[in-house]
Amino acid sequence: MNNLAPAISPPSGVGDSKPANQAVLDWVQEVARLTQPDNVFWCDGSERENVYLLDQACRQKVLIKLNEKKVPGSYLHRSNPNDVARVEQFTLICTPTKEEAGPTNHWADPAETYSKLNAMLKGAMKGRTMFVVPYIMGPPDSPLAKVGFEITDSIYVVLSMRVMTRMGTVALRRLEASKDGEWNRGVHSLLDVNPDRRWICHFPQDNAIISVGSGYGGNVLLSKKCLALRIGSYLARKQGWLAEHMLILGVESPEGKKHYVAAAFPSACGKTNFAMLIPPKHFAGWKVTTIGDDIAWMQIGGDGQLYAVNPENGYFGVVPGTSHKSNPNAMKSIACDTIYTNVALTDDGDVWWEGKDGAPPAHAIDWRGNDWTPDSKDKAAHPNSRFATPMRNNPVLDPDVEKGEGVPISAIIFGGRRSDTMPLVVQALDWEHGVYVGATMASETTAAATGAVGQVRRDPMAMLPFCGYNIGEYLRHWLRIGARLENPPLIFNVNWFRKSADGKFLWPGFGDNMRVLKWVIDRCEGSEAAVKSPIGWLPRPDDLDLAELGGFPHQNIVELLGIDHEEWKRELAGHGEFFESLGGVVPDELLKQREKLAERFQV
Ligand code: OXD
Ligand code: MN
């Protein structure tokens, strides 16, 4: 099935909100001249517009309306089966020189890429509607907020952007009020959804993005990975702030003391679960609240602390495995007003996926649109099936989520999916060591991107697929930010995924991650409950509150916190190989950190 929809003619007062900004009007006209749509639909983000577009999307079979009683206000979308994840190999950073894109990005010459893409876009929207979607990333009154415009020929993209961003007139107002008049130009066309003509191209120096040939969220909701991370990280370096692949959560003690934590994990490693964590019963009175589940924009406040905002307005999360057991708050968030992509449809118009509570349905239609029963050998939902849901649905949304200056960050956590080597938690010795920990982070790959799953790859700060410029410069930027912070957050590394010799997870994860979070918070409060090890500060088993962790063998915590010197010898060699593979761009400070780590293992 594909997402292509014919042109639509809306009733009067819908689709005609042209902005006053002449530069925007000129750009839209230029793109329309190239792509030749049947009509141009100017989005204003109103409820009337939304009702109209949802109705159109259902008529055109781009969306299926779900049972209003089971999942009110919710819809199912099936993408083309060739188009279900981000495509890193076709994601390009088009800077004037290859060095600016650096060793971890696929680079292409900007002029050549523009002309290649323009040839593909020529007449691409004939017979279709071209939507113009104005949006803001960040709380509208934040100094970090950015305005973007996405031109798209996908009604699914428009409806998803409405969930994921602050979309419509609010963005036009922000643009009019802004001093710099800076805005991002994004052009998206499905073309014929052909993997051979699929390119996600970034032009950071022009603040521009062009995405063709895909309908998958991570490739086409240009606000998210493309603007908030790739172009965002480029702007952040120029302007002295940080754009990171991090969740932001608040933790409040029973006494009412609150800290905020930002945490970077690669895609599909449980960021949404961690951001909505429900503490176990033993932690009665503790509260975890969500600022964001995927992206953090952080700046240095007047008091020398790091402050974070969530640029997004919704969550685009992985569905399989989400249940009342694993993430009750996510289940409540996706109970209504949600756009599901590539999950299964039950006979009573509900959605189903592997790992949902209860027994599987006796019959369903799978993500490809085929009949499915529990005996089918294929999965009912694609492993990277997604929900797009507004953040206001989250029952633990933090009250300060709209605060323009952001929330003060006490701790930064890095984490990957590692079966061995990395302990449950470790605290870096200082900022520079913390940057080294983030720079050498690794994780087993997941279904969020096309390619092999389960292979360990280095993923600095979980930004490997998202850093919009030279990774060496990026690490240098982190070091510079640290030097400017009078009161830097403490830096930690966690690993929820360590396995025993017989291949079983040693740590229960999910809500019990509160036990690790509590130690992190204690350390931020000055607790001395830790021992120094070659890799940083570790809790002793008794330093973690493991009370009422039913059936948890004490031996597990010993294994989880253990440092195996043989594994670390390999790990250090891995760091060295990774740094070498980057071809001389790694800052000297980090090369020295590696030497110091090796020395600490020798004494
Ligand atoms: C995401 C991703 O969708 O990281 O958030 O792939
Ligand atoms: Mn992500």
Side-chain angles (χ1 to χ4, degrees), residues 505-539:
F505 286 115
L506 288 162
W507 181 245
F510 301 109
D512 286 309
N513 293 338
M514 180 67 212
R515 299 170 192 273
V516 173
L517 194 53
K518 168 77 169 40
W519 183 76
V520 166
I521 298 306
D522 288 348
R523 293 292 288 167
C524 294
E525 292 268 334
S527 150
E528 291 183 357
V531 278
K532 207 167 185 181
S533 81
I535 66 166
W537 294 98
L538 287 171

Side-chain angles (χ1 to χ4, degrees), residues 122-387:
K122 195 160 182 218
M125 297 190 190
K126 271 188 191 153
R128 300 184 197 171
T129 292
M130 181 173 109
F131 299 93
V132 183
V133 182
Y135 63 93
I136 311 184
M137 298 307 279
D141 67 344
S142 174
L144 288 179
K146 302 274 177 233
V147 173
F149 284 81
E150 176 163 354
I151 288 177
T152 177
D153 55 9
S154 160
I155 196 167
Y156 164 78
V157 167
V158 180
L159 290 162
S160 303
M161 287 292 283
R162 188 172 198 275
V163 174
M164 296 303 298
T165 70
R166 293 155 177 94
M167 185 262 243
T169 332
V170 64
L172 303 181
R173 277 203 302 268
R174 162 89 198 191
L175 182 62
E176 292 318 309
S178 84
K179 286 194 206 85
D180 54 16
E182 176 191 74
W183 51 280
N184 177 272
R185 2 189 126 202
V187 176
H188 165 247
S189 174
L190 292 159
L191 304 183
D192 52 355
V193 198
N194 177 348
D196 295 336
R197 306 200 312 143
R198 182 167 297 156
W199 297 102
I200 322 301
C201 302
H202 305 74
F203 304 87
Q205 65 288 348
D206 302 336
N207 200 356
I209 306 159
I210 302 179
S211 164
V212 293
S214 172
Y216 170 71
N219 299 327
V220 300
L221 307 179
L222 301 184
S223 56
K224 191 173 177 65
K225 301 301 181 182
C226 301
L227 173 54
L229 287 177
R230 297 195 190 97
I231 301 272
S233 60
Y234 173 93
L235 294 175
R237 189 196 38 158
K238 265 200 356 204
Q239 299 167 358
W241 50 281
L242 293 170
E244 299 300 326
H245 193 203
M246 291 181 179
L247 67 92
I248 311 157
L249 59 79
V251 201
E252 192 175 331
S253 72
E255 297 75 40
K257 178 110 211 248
K258 192 155 185 183
H259 286 276
Y260 288 94
V261 171
F265 296 83
S267 307
C269 286
K271 277 204 296 299
T272 307
N273 291 342
F274 195 35
M276 297 181 182
L277 176 157
I278 297 186
K281 275 209 188 70
H282 175 66
F283 286 80
W286 284 84
K287 263 193 268 168
V288 170
T289 48
T290 320
I291 294 279
D293 80 326
D294 193 42
I295 299 175
W297 282 357
M298 301 190 281
Q299 61 175 340
I300 302 175
D303 58 359
Q305 283 198 74
L306 200 56
Y307 283 78
V309 296
N310 172 11
E312 300 192 276
N313 202 28
Y315 309 132
F316 181 66
V318 176
V319 181
T322 307
S323 68
H324 286 288
K325 183 160 178 289
S326 66
N327 191 342
N329 286 326
M331 289 301 282
K332 286 182 193 148
S333 305
I334 63 179
C336 62
D337 302 332
T338 296
I339 301 175
Y340 289 90
T341 301
N342 291 341
V343 297
L345 177 67
T346 65
D347 294 348
D348 57 357
D350 198 354
V351 275
W352 192 80
W353 54 84
E354 279 74 15
K356 197 178 183 189
D357 309 88
H363 173 263
I365 304 294
D366 72 11
W367 68 274
R368 288 187 168 90
N370 298 327
D371 284 312
W372 182 93
T373 70
D375 295 331
S376 300
K377 64 176 189 344
D378 294 324
K379 294 214 184 304
H382 186 275
N384 192 37
S385 50
R386 297 280 177 147
F387 55 76

